[in-house]
Amino acid sequence: MTTTTRAPSIALSPPKRGTPRWIWVLVVVLVVVVVGAIGLLGVSALNVFGAEPGPGVSYDPDNPRPQGARALAQIVDEHSGDLRQARGLDEFTDAPRPGSNTTVVVSSVGAFNPGTAQQFLDRVSEAHRVILIAPQDYALSLLGLPVRLEFGGAPTGVPARCTTGEIAPDDTITGGTLGYSTSAPGTTSCFTTGAASNVLYLPAAAGRPEIVVVSGDMLLNENLALRDNAGVTTRLFANADDILWYVPFVTDEVPSENEESDVPAAIGPLIVLAAFAVLALMLWRGRRFGALVTEPLPAVVKAIETTQARGRMYHKARADARSAAALRIHTLASLASYLGLPYDAGKATDELAIPGWESMVAHEETADPAVHAIITTVVSVTGRDLARVRVLLAGPLPTTDTGLVLFTSELTALDKEVRQTP
């Protein structure tokens, strides 16, 4: 007898698989998305914080809205030799240097910083006059003007109480809530309420032309036709052969020698470092992906089976009226939502649970005023007979299978007719 000895079986372990290719594709796509998102955020930040003033900015010469100054710009252009606009520092420096026959008008004065303010003063040192529209204290200090912003009270008519080449003592303008004051000698204050003047003349000084500070309310499009606003502003602005209207931009910021940037110098390298950190994290975690694990569900119930089971339950219980009431509540809620009318579907549904509901309510007409408002609106929209619509939406409910089927068809047709859907 021969005995055969079997070799011990060795279970071979499945070969290790590398990372699937689709994972690397997903990682690359996510990296591209993250880098693109960072770039879009940077561009959005530049657009938000570096936005250039446009036709929608107050006192802008191209703004036709109530807070703009387009009407004044057109009047000045008609009454002076030439009105030119310079938007941004590049256009301002490219324009001919203002001379003794040029009045320089500046709106959006708040866009100045120490660098641009100094360049502006150097550029207009030989101009005939500089008019500053509604400057704030910070801009006034940058320009080295001894002027303060003051509260002037409620907007109302303010007489001049001064005499200049453009303003008569009996002129009246629309005063603003804010004005200006100064203690510098040789100044002329006009249209003053309390300590706030709406027009302030600063005489020319060494290296600086005459400067006129105006509050700005009288030159707005919505106020220009009131009182003497148009005449005063026209004479004030159009007193030279050449008018240069300068609109500085926030993006014109030129750092001065002593100015420190508000943005840290390391912000750029930090953004790049963060991008590489995200990329490294994604690569590290991407290699740890495993196969998807499916979890068997105990049971899967389709939605149609639940609906059919509920229908069979109602049919077995012969609850035709209750089924019709549920369908009516759903239709009323749908019509109320579409027509913008109030209807409490939850309250109506709760009433179905009242013991003996079918004997008390099913055979009676609904007395809910919200339902009658819906009926009236539906009749006006569809042109249907009021009595038929009232029976359908508020009348007695069907108590047979045949009546329930017909009732459901009529509710569906009415809802489609109101919504004008096929």
Side-chain angles (χ1 to χ4, degrees), residues 63-340:
N63 184 2
R65 299 175 184 174
Q67 296 299 313
R70 183 176 181 179
L72 173 62
Q74 293 178 345
I75 294 175
V76 171
D77 191 30
E78 294 174 358
H79 289 77
S80 66
D82 184 23
L83 173 64
R84 296 175 291 114
Q85 293 186 25
R87 293 185 171 274
L89 187 62
D90 292 339
E91 291 188 12
F92 181 68
T93 54
D94 291 342
R97 191 180 187 90
S100 58
N101 62 340
T102 302
T103 293
V104 180
V105 181
V106 186
S107 57
S108 300
V109 187
F112 278 139
N113 77 340
T116 54
Q118 187 59 48
Q119 287 193 12
F120 172 77
L121 291 175
D122 295 341
R123 189 77 179 174
V124 300
S125 59
E126 299 178 0
H128 168 67
R129 171 183 289 176
V130 172
I131 300 177
L132 303 177
I133 301 176
Q136 299 296 318
D137 282 332
Y138 179 68
L140 293 170
S141 64
L142 290 179
L143 297 173
L145 302 178
V147 179
R148 298 181 303 276
L149 195 62
E150 301 283 355
F151 180 73
T156 183
V158 181
R161 299 193 187 96
C162 71
T163 302
T164 66
E166 302 89 7
I167 300 175
D170 57 348
D171 285 335
T172 303
I173 66 166
T174 302
T177 56
L178 296 177
Y180 302 91
S181 66
T182 181
S183 58
T187 59
T188 302
S189 302
C190 300
F191 306 105
T192 303
T193 302
S197 300
N198 288 273
V199 178
L200 196 63
Y201 288 84
L202 297 176
R208 189 193 72 190
E210 179 188 44
I211 294 181
V212 181
V213 182
V214 298
S215 62
D217 291 76
M218 63 179 176
L219 55 85
L220 295 174
N221 293 330
E222 62 180 356
N223 296 332
L224 195 62
L226 304 177
R227 301 181 176 88
D228 298 322
N229 295 341
V232 171
T233 53
T234 301
R235 295 192 299 268
L236 190 65
F237 281 62
N239 68 337
D241 297 333
D242 185 24
I243 309 296
L244 178 60
W245 197 308
Y246 174 37
V247 183
F249 292 163
V250 175
T251 51
D252 292 336
E253 288 186 331
V254 179
S256 63
E257 295 179 358
N258 299 326
E259 182 184 10
E260 295 182 359
S261 175
D262 294 332
V263 180
I267 190 66
L270 287 177
I271 293 177
V272 176
L273 180 61
F276 277 106
V278 172
L279 175 61
L281 177 63
M282 296 174 64
L283 292 176
W284 170 53
R285 297 301 300 174
R287 298 188 60 186
R288 301 176 66 89
F289 289 159
L292 295 177
V293 178
T294 59
E295 180 181 0
L297 298 177
V300 177
V301 181
K302 297 181 180 179
I304 186 62
E305 294 181 2
T306 304
T307 304
Q308 291 174 349
R310 182 174 296 177
R312 287 193 296 268
M313 181 181 66
Y314 285 153
H315 178 72
K316 186 177 181 179
R318 297 187 178 277
D320 299 308
R322 191 177 299 272
S323 302
L327 293 173
R328 174 186 282 175
I329 291 172
H330 174 76
T331 302
L332 287 171
S334 176
L335 293 174
S337 175
Y338 182 77
L339 298 173

Side-chain angles (χ1 to χ4, degrees), residues 21-44:
R21 181 178 299 177
W22 66 269
I23 292 181
W24 293 110
V25 174
L26 179 61
V27 169
V28 172
V29 171
L30 291 176
V31 170
V32 172
V33 170
V34 170
V35 174
I38 293 175
L40 288 177
L41 287 176
V43 173
S44 301

